[in-house]
Amino acid sequence: MLRYLLRRLAIAVPMLIVASFAMFMLVSLSGDPLSRFRSMDPPPPESSIRSMELELGLDRPLPERYVRWLLGVLHGDFGKSVVNVDIGQVLPGRLLISLRLIVIAIVVAAIVSIAVGVIGAVRQYGLIDNSLSVLVFVGMSLPLFWFAVMLKQWAISINRSSGRTILYTIGDGSQTGAHGLALLGFLALPTIALAVNIFASWSRYVRASMIEVLNTDYMRLARAKGLSRTQAVLRHGLRNALMPFVTVVALEFSSLVGGAVVTESVFQWRGMGDLLLNGIRNLDVHVVMAWLLVFATATILLNLLADLVYGLLDPRIRHARTF
């Protein structure tokens, strides 16, 4: 397992470098970061614009700019921002806010999707399965932005009827130092919005995988040995059914990050989503690259983690022998 882990990490490093180069080229060619200054009326002196170009390194060829940026990142310097934001200083706090939302949403969605998928498979084509299927398809059809806005309106009506703020519709709680139940009030709505958006599709994968497992010979053998259906499902079926689900979670992490950007925008969280949107508005190459680099790294690491989880779910897998 250790050899496999080291090998995957060795492959991930050049993969990340190639991905960062492609992203840097695309982001740098997307527009002129100083265009908003050039379009001012009256425009600033040409000497000022020239000075900003030199400060941001825009006068250098793209390959050289990438190399300088990459060397800076290796030393913890993410480059200069157009709006004078210290990227390295704000990045950890913004990342913590976004990861808190994403991780909690993944945990909630995974638990609910596994429960719904297993129950639907065990009660296949019954009343419970059909009812859950309707609920799942409704969840899949809900646009995330619209659903988040509806949750805000619902929370506002609850707060008004109760005469106090139970569910917070704006902010992430970091500015107020919220903790305990207050922090839960900030987290509840964004987590529900993001979790509902992903649990619906995940539960269908679990259901399909569990139906396939229930029809295998080893499940029939487990029942023949005297295990109840619940015992057979939990002891033998669930572990094998979860292997495709682990793959789905890892592969859909990037879309989950995109959903987090939308969710943070609706609830006005000052996380990585807000950082990305401001960077795009300002054509701030280094801010956008910092965001892309962080989540590209997270995606690669999550896929590596998924491969390692396979070994825990299925003892027959031995990475060291394969590689």
Side-chain angles (χ1 to χ4, degrees):
M1 184 71 75
L2 181 60
R3 283 183 56 191
Y4 174 77
L5 177 61
L6 295 176
R7 185 181 180 90
R8 284 296 305 269
L9 289 175
I11 296 174
V13 172
M15 183 189 306
L16 189 59
I17 292 176
V18 172
S20 66
F21 178 78
M23 292 185 299
F24 189 89
M25 294 296 126
L26 291 174
V27 174
S28 299
L29 295 173
S30 62
D32 179 13
L34 302 181
S35 59
R36 65 192 184 102
F37 298 104
R38 302 182 195 276
S39 60
M40 288 181 177
D41 189 17
E46 188 63 31
S47 58
S48 299
I49 294 181
R50 179 61 179 171
S51 176
M52 294 179 67
E53 286 181 344
L54 295 174
E55 184 179 2
L56 297 173
L58 299 177
D59 59 320
R60 302 176 185 275
L62 274 178
E64 181 181 349
R65 288 169 55 188
Y66 169 75
V67 172
R68 290 169 64 91
W69 172 80
L70 182 60
L71 293 176
V73 168
L74 295 177
H75 292 86
D77 181 10
F78 290 89
K80 292 186 177 295
S81 169
V82 176
V83 293
N84 295 322
V85 173
D86 190 337
I87 303 174
Q89 184 177 0
V90 303
L91 196 61
R94 298 291 190 104
L95 182 60
L96 180 61
I97 291 173
S98 294
L99 285 182
R100 183 176 62 188
L101 171 63
I102 293 173
V103 170
I104 294 176
I106 288 177
V107 172
V108 172
I111 293 173
V112 176
S113 61
I114 291 173
V116 171
V118 170
I119 293 173
V122 173
R123 303 292 184 181
Q124 186 181 8
Y125 303 131
L127 178 61
I128 295 179
D129 181 34
N130 291 333
S131 301
L132 291 176
S133 295
V134 172
L135 179 64
V136 165
F137 285 122
V138 169
M140 293 175 66
S141 64
L142 292 176
L144 175 57
F145 184 86
W146 176 86
F147 182 58
V149 172
M150 292 298 101
L151 281 178
K152 287 185 68 171
Q153 297 301 319
W154 172 72
I156 290 173
S157 63
I158 288 180
N159 292 337
R160 286 177 177 173
S161 62
S162 63
R164 59 193 183 94
T165 302
I166 300 175
L167 299 171
Y168 293 87
T169 59
I170 296 177
D172 54 79
S174 59
Q175 285 83 12
T176 60
H179 61 277
L181 292 178
L183 181 59
L184 183 61
F186 282 101
L187 285 170
L189 297 180
T191 300
I192 292 173
L194 191 56
V196 168
N197 186 250
I198 57 178
F199 112 87
S201 59
W202 288 3
S203 66
R204 303 308 291 178
Y205 286 108
V206 175
R207 179 182 180 276
S209 181
M210 180 57 73
I211 289 175
E212 183 178 354
V213 167
L214 290 176
N215 294 322
T216 57
D217 292 335
Y218 64 84
M219 289 295 292
R220 297 189 185 96
L221 178 61
R223 293 297 306 279
K225 287 183 175 181
L227 292 181
S228 65
R229 191 174 191 180
T230 301
Q231 290 175 326
V233 168
L234 296 180
R235 291 185 185 181
H236 302 283
L238 185 59
R239 175 178 292 184
N240 292 286
L242 286 182
M243 291 188 65
F245 175 69
V246 171
T247 304
V248 170
V249 174
L251 293 177
E252 290 195 359
F253 178 74
S254 56
S255 61
L256 181 61
V257 171
V261 173
V262 176
T263 305
E264 289 182 19
S265 177
V266 172
F267 293 98
Q268 300 179 32
W269 279 33
R270 292 185 57 80
M272 292 293 286
D274 179 69
L275 186 68
L276 173 66
L277 295 177
N278 287 332
I280 293 175
R281 293 189 193 101
N282 298 319
L283 295 176
D284 205 332
V285 175
H286 292 153
V287 170
V288 176
M289 279 303 304
W291 189 94
L292 291 172
L293 182 65
V294 166
F295 284 111
T297 304
T299 301
I300 292 175
L301 292 178
L302 187 62
N303 279 272
L304 174 59
L305 178 62
D307 288 344
L308 297 179
V309 171
Y310 291 155
L312 299 177
L313 294 176
D314 191 347
R316 295 171 299 178
I317 297 177
R318 290 295 182 266
H319 298 301
R321 295 178 184 177
T322 305
F323 295 89

